[in-house]
Amino acid sequence: ARLLHHFRDRGQRVRILRELARVARGPVIVSIYLRWTLEGLRRRLRPKRPSSRWGLTVREVRRDAEEAGLRLDRVASLLPLVREQTFVRFMAARPCRGGCRRI
């Protein structure tokens, strides 16, 4: 779940989401770190140490998901506009018809 915020390269994020879409039998839930929150601003203005986290915007995540064949379904944060960590739920962009295996 805590993965996408470690990849600055959009191509890598799209490949990860594409693979998650391929193997998932239902929704795909990941956490991201939103760029424009109080915590995110504090991190950029007063860095304590180097971080591998890369803040994203919902627009970027939606664009990456659409390219990977997913549809952004829901965005949920425990403390909106305050905490960076946010959970995102994706669904398959196209409904499964006929040839899909269900277990």
Side-chain angles (χ1 to χ4, degrees), residues 8 10 13-14 17 35 54-66:
R8 290 181 185 212
R10 181 172 184 259
R13 291 193 311 265
V14 170
L17 288 171
R35 182 176 300 149
W54 179 252
L56 299 168
T57 65
V58 173
R59 181 179 291 173
E60 289 172 313
V61 173
R62 179 177 283 119
R63 184 188 63 202
D64 295 350
E66 287 172 357

Side-chain angles (χ1 to χ4, degrees), residues 46-97:
R46 292 187 349 183
K48 292 182 180 176
R49 62 181 187 265
S51 175
S52 65
R53 289 191 259 181
W54 179 252
L56 299 168
T57 65
V58 173
R59 181 179 291 173
E60 289 172 313
V61 173
R62 179 177 283 119
R63 184 188 63 202
D64 295 350
E66 287 172 357
E67 187 172 327
L70 293 168
R71 173 179 52 85
L72 187 128
D73 183 54
R74 183 149 191 223
V75 177
S77 177
L78 297 176
L79 290 171
L81 302 175
V82 176
R83 294 290 313 239
E84 289 175 292
Q85 188 174 19
T86 302
F87 293 92
V88 182
R89 180 173 68 187
F90 302 108
M91 304 297 279
R94 292 170 296 285
C96 186
R97 300 195 197 283

